[in-house]
Amino acid sequence: MSRQPLDAAQIHALVVERFPAVTLERSENAQPWLKAPADGFLDLARFLKDDPRLAYDSLMCLSGVDLATFNLPPAKPVPPPKPGAAPVPPKPAEPIKPVEPSLACVYLLHSLVHRHRLMVKVLVDRNAGVVPSVESVWGVAGYFEREIFDLLGVGFAGHHDLRRIMTPEDWTGHPLRKDYVYPTRYNGVELRRAGQRFEDGPYAGNAP
Amino acid sequence: MAECGSKAGNRDGEQLALTCVDDFLNWGKENSLFYLLFATACCGIELMQTGGPRFDTDRLGMIPRPTPRQADLMILAGTITHKMASRAHLLWKQMAEPRWVVSMGSCANAGGPFSKYSYSVLNGMDKFLPVDVYIPGCPPRPEALIDGCMALRERVRRFRALGIRDRDPVVIASASPAPVCGDQGFKPQRPEGQG
Ligand code: SF4
């Protein structure tokens, strides 16, 4: 098979013939990516891998993103604490602003045949969102999907063994979600940030 | 061996060494502190350096062992997360008595740079294991680790039969001021009913 790298528009044109719901998007730095719906994503993955013009035979990375934004006020300089003064407790932050659907799975694909790359994003619903597992297409996806399941709580339909992988088996919640509330105790140990959220931390009220 | 004496010559002109059993056993123990290969983060790099030819723990009789069954000493080198803590505790339970624990670096002592804002890091492995020697630093230099091992040898020398050992852990003072990481309020402690 000869080497024929395609650009994003050509790839999109090929994909859209079979999957009309897939759109071509550009991010701020002009990096193009394909936005795909979760329904029928497994067929799209198979197509991306098996079509000889695309031949995406390697899944370089599969990561999850929480797209919700913090409602934080604009950054302002913090005056240095006066010597001897009691430390100022951080202000509790505003609740996060949910966007819908607010989780995303980002697939970075690479073709060793044509040496072209592709980013595909699948947006997922925050509550009980499920994406088809692409483990049967790229075997390596199994571990990535477990990680996303563990840290962001995205379900993967058809995964052979969807368990937590990073946090302990009996951990509660999904720590990389922006609305994650830190647990109070674990294994008999009081946790330092009991009941807080990420935004209540060091940058509270002063986020960039 | 404090109480060791040597008498020149009995009838056949043989040399005779007298000591107490504890001293003799401890002399053997302190010169063969085999340590478990257990490194969980960046402090492990310093542990490897200490085992390497320049600092060379072998000359203290400290040889790394790949299994807890053959190890006398557990050097907690690196960050201990809540998930790792249960594994570390299991490994410690698999070691034969008398067993010793050295906590190396701010992370294993008190959570280190993660103590304040991380959800996943345990603030000090001494919540689960009886630590004998704390070595501050992020990471401690190999000299500090050797220092800690020498302090541990002192403790081993005072070990008595029936498992009587020093209760208060040793905190090694480092040559350079140890980085204060967060407001962890580091206080050596011993877990309930262990060690
Ligand atoms: S104390 Fe410092 S060097 Fe050691 S494991 Fe923790 S962060 Fe790494």
Side-chain angles (χ1 to χ4, degrees):
Chain A
M1 207 184 307
S2 66
R3 193 188 144 199
Q4 276 175 330
L6 305 177
D7 67 20
Q10 291 168 314
I11 292 167
H12 179 240
L14 280 181
V15 169
V16 103
E17 280 174 26
R18 292 230 357 226
F19 303 93
V22 177
T23 54
L24 180 66
E25 315 262 339
R26 275 175 201 281
S27 46
E28 278 167 29
N29 61 5
Q31 168 114 30
W33 49 279
L34 296 188
K35 182 163 133 188
D39 291 341
F41 180 67
L42 185 58
D43 292 334
L44 173 61
R46 284 231 176 81
F47 173 73
L48 288 173
K49 185 175 181 192
D50 294 341
D51 191 285
R53 294 161 297 176
L54 298 169
Y56 284 109
D57 43 13
S58 120
L59 175 67
M60 293 196 296
C61 183
L62 165 50
S63 38
V65 190
D66 187 349
L67 299 171
T69 50
F70 294 128
N71 273 355
L72 294 177
K76 53 180 182 299
V78 184
K82 293 194 197 74
V88 185
K91 277 195 246 69
E94 302 279 315
I96 64 156
K97 208 193 282 174
V99 294
E100 285 301 328
S102 54
L103 300 175
C105 293
V106 184
Y107 299 75
L108 293 179
L109 305 172
H110 178 63
S111 165
L112 293 166
V113 180
H114 302 303
R115 302 196 201 157
H116 51 202
R117 294 178 182 195
L118 180 65
M119 185 197 292
V120 185
K121 293 190 192 176
V122 179
L123 301 190
V124 196
D125 185 50
R126 197 174 193 79
N127 309 310
V130 174
V131 182
S133 168
V134 292
E135 206 186 13
S136 55
V137 185
W138 300 286
V140 70
Y143 284 116
F144 288 130
E145 287 172 353
R146 274 179 70 184
E147 184 181 352
I148 299 175
F149 165 73
D150 185 0
L151 299 177
L152 283 168
V154 178
F156 288 92
H159 191 287
H160 81 287
D161 182 22
L162 200 60
R163 282 181 293 134
R164 287 184 181 271
I165 187 170
M166 300 280 191
T167 56
E169 298 76 15
D170 51 352
W171 197 259
T172 43
H174 305 288
L176 285 196
R177 284 201 177 192
K178 287 180 182 165
D179 54 358
Y180 178 63
V181 180
Y182 288 61
T184 323
R185 338 170 34 89
Y186 178 74
N187 213 353
V189 178
E190 292 285 340
L191 301 188
R192 198 163 286 268
R193 295 194 63 188
Q196 289 187 3
R197 287 168 308 175
F198 172 79
E199 0 151 27
D200 306 327
Y203 310 111
N206 196 41
Chain B
M1 280 181 267
E3 324 219 333
C4 172
S6 156
K7 256 205 264 177
N10 52 13
R11 240 187 349 214
D12 304 323
E14 287 162 344
Q15 294 281 312
L16 207 65
L18 299 177
T19 180
C20 38
V21 176
D22 268 343
D23 285 338
F24 181 66
L25 291 180
N26 288 347
W27 172 72
K29 280 174 199 148
E30 73 170 286
N31 285 298
S32 62
L33 280 172
F34 291 3
Y35 62 98
L36 179 64
L37 273 180
F38 180 73
T40 44
C42 13
C43 275
I45 304 291
E46 297 297 306
L47 175 65
M48 292 172 218
Q49 293 305 311
T50 317
R54 181 160 177 187
F55 293 93
D56 198 5
T57 48
D58 283 22
R59 71 201 155 93
L60 307 176
M62 294 175 58
I63 298 167
R65 304 306 303 174
T67 155
R69 310 267 183 213
Q70 300 169 345
D72 308 298
L73 165 63
M74 182 177 220
I75 300 181
L76 295 165
T79 317
I80 306 281
T81 57
H82 290 292
K83 188 169 184 177
M84 196 38 137
S86 57
R87 276 73 175 164
H89 195 212
L90 178 69
L91 288 170
W92 176 81
K93 282 194 284 191
Q94 288 173 340
M95 286 161 59
E97 284 277 9
R99 55 197 164 191
W100 310 88
V101 180
V102 168
S103 164
M104 175 187 183
S106 303
C107 280
N109 292 349
F114 313 103
S115 69
K116 219 169 160 185
Y117 298 117
S118 171
Y119 62 90
S120 56
V121 173
L122 178 68
N123 289 328
M125 195 53 202
D126 51 8
K127 297 191 171 54
F128 294 110
L129 299 187
V131 174
D132 292 291
V133 178
Y134 294 90
I135 306 170
C138 178
R141 291 181 55 92
E143 293 94 320
L145 182 55
I146 296 273
D147 222 16
C149 295
M150 298 314 285
L152 182 70
R153 287 172 63 126
E154 282 286 325
R155 268 172 98 79
V156 176
R157 215 169 294 155
R158 291 196 297 273
F159 184 78
R160 287 290 165 259
L162 306 177
I164 302 166
R165 58 163 87 194
D166 290 5
R167 301 295 302 177
D168 296 333
V170 182
V171 182
I172 300 294
S174 63
S176 59
V180 178
C181 297
D183 66 342
Q184 63 268 59
F186 168 62
K187 226 173 35 256
Q189 57 172 294
R190 289 182 86 80
E192 302 273 310
Q194 275 176 0

